[in-house]
Each structure stands twice: as structure tokens, then as C-alpha cells.
Amino acid sequence: MTPNTDLNIPLFERAKALIPGGVNSPVRAFKAVGGTPRFVKRAQGAYFWDANDQRFIDYIGSWGPMILGHGHPAVLEAVQSAALEGFSFGAPTEREVELAEEILGLVPSMEMIRLVSSGTEAGMSAIRLARGATGRSKFIKFEGCYHGHADSLLVKAGSGLATFGNATSAGVPPEVVQHTIVLEYNNVAQLEEAFALHGKELACVMIEPIAGNMNLVRASVPFMKRCRELCTEHGALLVLDEVMTGFRVALGSAQSVYAKSIPGFKPDLTVLGKVIGGGMPLAAFGGPRAIMEHLAPLGGVYQAGTLSGNPVATACGLATLREIKKPGFFDALSARTRSLVDGLAAAAAAEGVPFSTDCEGGMFGFFLMPELPQNYAQVLQTDSARFNQLFHGLLDRGVYIAPALYEAGFVSAAHTADDIAATVAAAREVFKTL
Ligand SMILES: *Cc1c(COP(=O)(O)O)cnc(C)c1O
């Protein structure tokens, strides 16, 4: 494709004149990797087509929601019939109850749930609820975990545990982040120190159990166990942000994966999004009845939304969850994802490229370094120039991975063994050039 004939270029120019950076969410702009973003015309199964009608094997799947692939017939059917019945009412519907029943049936740590429209909203509301339920202000988050763009969450660590974090966005006043304590992921000693200093003032610890916003880095079992124990000892809530991992890494979500190694493990609050909407704007947060009853209209913690529990979105989410609940779904998805990362690792080894990789269910990550990193500082040591070369090499060969090295990848049920083989072959060609 020469620049003269690439139809993505004039579209990007038009977009940039009207929309800051030409995009409605920053990472779509290809700023990290350079080049022109692909404007998607349509998608089906494991593929999407751009403005040039070039086909790509899609490994972002809308950043996680499209676990069945695009245009799954049962989901399309559900969305079409829901749309005919009405788009939005601002009054309760039976489908909200059905979706609540479905989710609570699969994630038993939650007894009650509230539906919202985005992961940001869900995470922000979970923190307000944790603060309201405990009567405390401070909370802990970890460097490299993303919980949406609420003000109090856009923070990086200060110079020491006793100092406040620094806002990572302009427009966030220091006063707004003064209660956010930012710690290193997987650092048990630092976590213990923070609890020793602030334990009685902590409303919650918020964590991505398998972090997908610094590529893919898992919380180690001892670290997660310590998070749980310290929260319990100090009366703080453990909030698992499963917006990405929920119904993506296992049917019971990441908490079920940790419960295999930590007997009885459960979070106090769970934040969900992405897969539960199947590609529609839908997210949620939930937990035990005694905590959830602090929410308005029962309790004093205010939370609301015009489009919350939207009837078309709930139809999409319900149809998606009903498909992934079918016997064998996650076994097949996990095997397919495993075959991709094993294939990539073998191709990298054959070409002498340092490579490490991990996956869980339909989520994967890889690093152009020999050892898997354990925290954000280690992730930052990745050679971004090499990653960008890999990204563009794959893109030229019709394989679309996230346009930034800090993002996990996603395999859907629609990806075939042939798609995986084609991806691995493309990667091997690119590895040769690195
Ligand atoms: C995507 C994501 C969010 C934010 O969700 P939005 O719907 O984009 O607001 C929050 N937490 C995690 C872990 C995510 O991956």
C-alpha cells in the first residue's frame, strides 16, 4: 500500500481536524508505534477490515470484550430483537435482573451487583463505595495497574511511602490524589510497610489480579494472599478490578484462578466490564450484600446513570455470557491461546530473539526480553523500538496486535488453528528482521 492509495490517511486527516488526535481514546492514535491508525469498516469472526478493505487477524477484540469474535449469530440475534423492543427506558427491566442473576451465579463472591456503562465508572464507584462503607479515605493502588480515568486513580508513586503520589494527568489537583497510595506491584515488603503506616486509614486496596495494562503481569500468589490477609486484618476492602480478566481468563474470572492456590480466596468488591457487555457499553461492580446496601437508594453512597443497565447492552452481555458458559468453552479458548504463545515463543527461539510470554484463558502477553517482568519498572525496560518494529511488521502482514507494548492481547473463540498458524508464520518472518 503506497501512501497515495492508503484510504486510512485521508480519514485520519479528517478525524484530526475535528477530534483531538483524531481518536476518541488515546491509544487508538498509534502515537507509541507511529504511522496511521487503521480505520475499521467492519468485522466478522476473528477479522476486521480497514478503509482499504485489507483484512487483519484481530488480537485486540475491542480491548477484550469480543471473546466470541465479531458478529456471533446468537449475540446478533439478541441485540437485534432487543433493539426492536426499545433502546432505553430509564426504568427497570427484567433483562437487568437476568444479567445480575447470570453474573452472580458465576462469581459467588458477589451477592449483589450494580450495572453501569463503563469500567471507569465501575472502578470509580467501587472506590466511593469502599470509602463510604468503611468511613475511611485512603486507598492503595499499584504502579502499572489501570482502573479507568477517574481523577483519584491517575496517580504515580511519589518519592517514598510517606509522600503523596503525583497526578499523571494535567487537570487533576494534588488535593484529589492525596489519599491515593501507589505501590510497586508484587512487592510484599512495601505492601506490609504501607499497612503498618496507614492500615487504620485505608478504605481499600485496588488491584488488577492479572494486570493487562502493563502487557501481562500476574500478581504472584504470595502477593495476592498478603493483600487479602492485610485487608482483613486492618478492616480495609480488597477490590479486584476484573474489568479485563472477568469472564476472560476463566468462567469464574481471575478470582477463581487464585482460589485454586489460596483456599477460600475472595475479594470484597469485584469490578467488571469488557466481556460482560460483549462489545456494548456495560460494566458493573458487586460484592457482599452488607457492603452493597450502602448504595443509594438504600444507603448513603450516591451512584446513578441514565443509561445504566441499558436494555440493548444487557441483551448483548447476556447472550455473550450464555455462550461462554457452554461446557468446554474455556478449555478450547485456553488451548488456542496457549498454542499462539507457544508458537510465538518457538518462532522467537528459532530466530534468536529474546522472548518471554504468559497467558491465562483467552488473554496473553509477551515481552521481547528473556524473563517475564514482575512489576511496571521491569516492564519499562522493554526495548520499545524493537516492539514497534514487530508491531508494524505484523500489521504489514495482516496481523493486528495492540499498538503499544503496555497492552495484553486477546484470542477469541473465532480464532482458528489456521489463524494462529498464519500469525506465528508472520511473526517468524518479522523476528528474522529484528
Ligand atoms: C479497560 C479497563 C478499565 C476501564 O474500562 P473503560 O470501560 O475503558 O472505562 C478499568 N480497569 C481495567 C483493568 C481495564 O482493563
Side-chain angles (χ1 to χ4, degrees):
M1 182 78 36
T2 67
N4 304 345
T5 56
D6 183 350
L7 296 174
N8 294 293
I9 292 175
L11 271 175
F12 195 36
E13 292 308 317
R14 261 172 74 198
K16 281 193 291 191
L18 304 169
I19 302 167
V23 292
N24 286 311
S25 197
V27 73
R28 297 178 194 170
F30 277 27
K31 199 173 163 199
V33 292
T36 305
R38 299 306 184 265
F39 279 68
V40 180
K41 255 188 178 167
R42 66 195 167 87
Q44 183 57 50
Y47 314 118
F48 70 72
W49 286 263
D50 76 351
N52 304 318
D53 288 315
Q54 188 189 348
R55 194 193 83 171
F56 295 89
I57 305 176
D58 176 15
Y59 288 104
I60 64 167
S62 182
W63 302 94
M66 309 313 295
I67 194 166
L68 301 174
H70 299 280
H72 186 283
V75 178
L76 276 182
E77 216 281 317
V79 168
Q80 282 167 338
S81 62
L84 291 176
E85 291 165 7
F87 281 16
S88 185
F89 314 118
T93 62
E94 183 173 358
R95 222 173 277 130
E96 292 162 84
V97 185
E98 281 183 275
L99 182 60
E101 284 166 349
E102 197 73 60
I103 294 173
L104 300 187
L106 294 170
V107 185
S109 70
M110 292 188 283
E111 292 170 349
M112 297 187 103
I113 190 165
R114 173 144 296 167
L115 304 180
V116 297
S117 301
S118 75
T120 291
E121 221 188 321
M124 176 187 86
S125 304
I127 288 177
R128 185 180 306 142
L129 175 59
R131 285 170 158 170
T134 59
R136 300 170 176 187
S137 298
K138 289 194 194 306
F139 71 92
I140 288 175
K141 82 172 283 288
F142 299 97
E143 201 94 69
C145 289
Y146 178 69
H147 306 294
H149 62 91
D151 284 353
S152 68
L153 286 160
L154 296 178
V155 195
K156 63 175 188 296
S159 52
L161 267 191
T163 63
F164 302 138
N166 301 314
T168 53
S169 167
V172 177
E175 297 80 8
V176 173
V177 298
Q178 67 179 359
H179 298 302
T180 310
I181 297 166
V182 185
L183 304 180
E184 188 172 77
Y185 199 67
N186 278 327
N187 186 333
V188 171
Q190 211 184 56
L191 183 72
E192 289 176 340
E193 203 184 325
F195 266 95
L197 273 172
H198 303 293
K200 289 284 162 274
E201 305 157 87
L202 286 172
C204 66
V205 170
M206 190 169 204
I207 183 169
E208 277 186 82
I210 302 173
N213 289 287
M214 46 175 158
N215 204 305
L216 189 157
V217 182
R218 283 171 199 265
S220 73
V221 168
F223 182 68
M224 187 59 88
K225 186 161 174 276
R226 214 55 199 121
C227 284
R228 178 63 278 176
E229 289 166 354
L230 287 165
C231 282
T232 305
E233 280 167 31
H234 292 83
L237 305 185
L238 179 61
V239 182
L240 281 203
D241 182 350
E242 297 227 46
V243 171
M244 190 180 287
T245 53
F247 304 105
R248 165 54 73 177
V249 299
L251 190 56
S253 303
Q255 49 200 273
S256 71
V257 176
Y258 284 89
K260 284 189 207 154
S261 316
I262 310 170
F265 175 82
K266 35 181 194 179
D268 298 300
L269 292 177
T270 299
V271 186
L272 294 165
K274 298 196 168 109
V275 170
I276 64 163
M280 289 279 188
L282 183 73
F285 61 103
R289 186 173 306 278
I291 300 176
M292 293 299 286
E293 284 183 346
H294 284 273
L295 283 177
L298 295 179
V301 178
Y302 191 68
Q303 193 282 324
T306 302
L307 298 178
S308 290
N310 177 270
V312 185
T314 47
C316 187
L318 261 175
T320 301
L321 292 182
R322 284 173 182 160
E323 289 301 314
I324 71 173
K325 246 173 66 173
K326 291 183 174 167
F329 178 89
F330 269 93
D331 290 339
L333 183 67
S334 303
R336 185 99 332 144
T337 310
R338 172 56 62 191
S339 72
L340 172 69
V341 299
D342 285 351
L344 292 174
E351 301 303 335
V353 172
F355 191 85
S356 55
T357 180
D358 193 7
C359 66
E360 189 70 44
M363 175 174 168
F364 67 91
F366 64 79
F367 297 90
L368 296 174
M369 49 169 81
E371 299 277 336
L372 282 172
Q374 296 301 307
N375 59 47
Y376 189 57
Q378 290 174 4
V379 172
L380 287 180
Q381 286 161 19
T382 309
D383 182 343
S384 58
R386 270 158 83 86
F387 172 84
N388 295 349
Q389 233 181 306
L390 175 63
F391 169 81
H392 279 291
L394 288 174
L395 195 67
D396 290 345
R397 290 165 179 80
V399 175
Y400 193 96
I401 62 169
L405 66 87
Y406 304 106
E407 311 291 345
F410 304 98
V411 173
S412 78
H415 287 76
T416 63
D418 285 349
D419 294 325
I420 302 293
T423 303
V424 169
R428 179 146 185 195
E429 282 179 27
V430 186
F431 286 145
K432 263 193 221 312
T433 68
L434 289 187

